[in-house]
Amino acid sequence: MIPLGPRDPGPVRPDPARLPHGSTTRFAPAPTGYLHLGHLVNAIYTWGIARSTGGRVVLRIEDHDRQRCRPAYETALLDDLERVGLVPDRPSLDELRAGPSPFRQADDDRPYREAVERLRAAGLVYACECSRATYAAWARATGRRFAGPGCPGACRDRRVVESHETGLRATLVPGDEPFDDLLLGARRGPAASDGDLLIRDRHGNWTYHLCVVVDDARHGVDLVVRGRDLLDATPCQIRLGRLLGRATPPAWLHHPLLRKPSGAKLSKADQDTAIRDLLAAGHAPADLLGFAAAAVGLLESPRPIAAARLGDLFARGHPGSSILSG
Ligand code: GLU
């Protein structure tokens, strides 16, 4: 269907005996482009694991970045999910279409403001005027990547005055955060891998990390299923969650990504893998799901899979290759 690069190395299928039962997981696209085959892989894991374990799928529209998100992309992604048969348990697609929703980040920023005030009250927030250029200049000058507490401009120590042109950072205690990945096993990583965590950017957007941690808590998400490109985000999200009062982090599963023949991950700029274009070209939803499942290694070869049967891919005794249609 589409030329793809070699698969990510490492395990593909979680041990069914290790998957938690009755969890709430989420599908959390940012409406910055059309859904593509990479999203479909994430959806296969998310819905498949939820359906095989009696769990629920929350759909969350991650439009915290007001400069990059477009309502038209959200409309398109809701339509694409419906056409492929990927229906969330909460909220319904029609609820999202009808208007403001607690599952759309841009509709109400009170939860993020409240979280920041909580951190501020604990003395953990400071204004930061560093830009990407500040980071790049620091890296050039030192030959290293900035990591650990603070920021390259030492904004915390300089007591930068907060304004609508400064970012905000949360102080993260340095050090590693261990976690268990349902596919990759025991992991650990630095909680402050880019310095203290940016929680509001210099354009006034609440950041991805802040929104995800706040939303996973308020939406009751206790199983996060996402691609391995976000593996490095996990330690700092666990740490931030703890600072915000979440003692028990969610369970984590980071799945392999689809890659282009060049090895780069698929992105929204790759129009040729957009789900809507593939549907318009006449590919059936079950064929697309089967193609994506095979491309990531969940099937030995592509076979049609209906969305309603995705749980079979993760069930005990799954044969790995012989399945599934209808
Ligand atoms: N919104 C993120 C994305 O589209 C996913 C967030 C997450 O899984 O933590 O890549």
Side-chain angles (χ1 to χ4, degrees), residues 17-36:
R18 291 199 61 213
L19 292 175
H21 273 256
S23 294
T24 298
T25 186
R26 43 49 165 205
F27 184 69
T32 55
Y34 294 121
L35 292 187
H36 55 66

Side-chain angles (χ1 to χ4, degrees), residues 19 23-29 38-60 86-89 221 223-227 253 255 298 307 310-311 313-314:
L19 292 175
S23 294
T24 298
T25 186
R26 43 49 165 205
F27 184 69
H39 292 103
L40 216 51
V41 166
N42 181 242
I44 289 170
Y45 275 93
T46 302
W47 266 270
I49 290 172
R51 294 297 172 251
S52 76
T53 57
R56 287 167 298 276
V57 179
V58 161
L59 173 63
R60 181 163 75 225
L86 294 164
V87 178
D89 298 295
V221 170
L223 170 61
V224 172
V225 175
R226 60 187 181 191
L253 185 150
H255 58 73
L298 284 167
L310 288 174
L313 288 174
F314 298 93

Side-chain angles (χ1 to χ4, degrees), residues 16-17 39 54 79 188 193 203 208 220 223 270 297 303-304:
H39 292 103
D79 290 348
R188 57 190 308 121
S193 54
H203 308 288
Y208 157 67
L223 170 61
D270 297 312
R303 291 162 197 269

Side-chain angles (χ1 to χ4, degrees), residues 3-4 36-38 258-260 264-268 270 273:
L4 293 170
H36 55 66
L37 281 177
L258 294 190
R259 296 192 179 275
K260 295 189 251 189
K265 67 174 184 152
L266 298 187
S267 76
K268 290 175 182 131
D270 297 312
T273 77

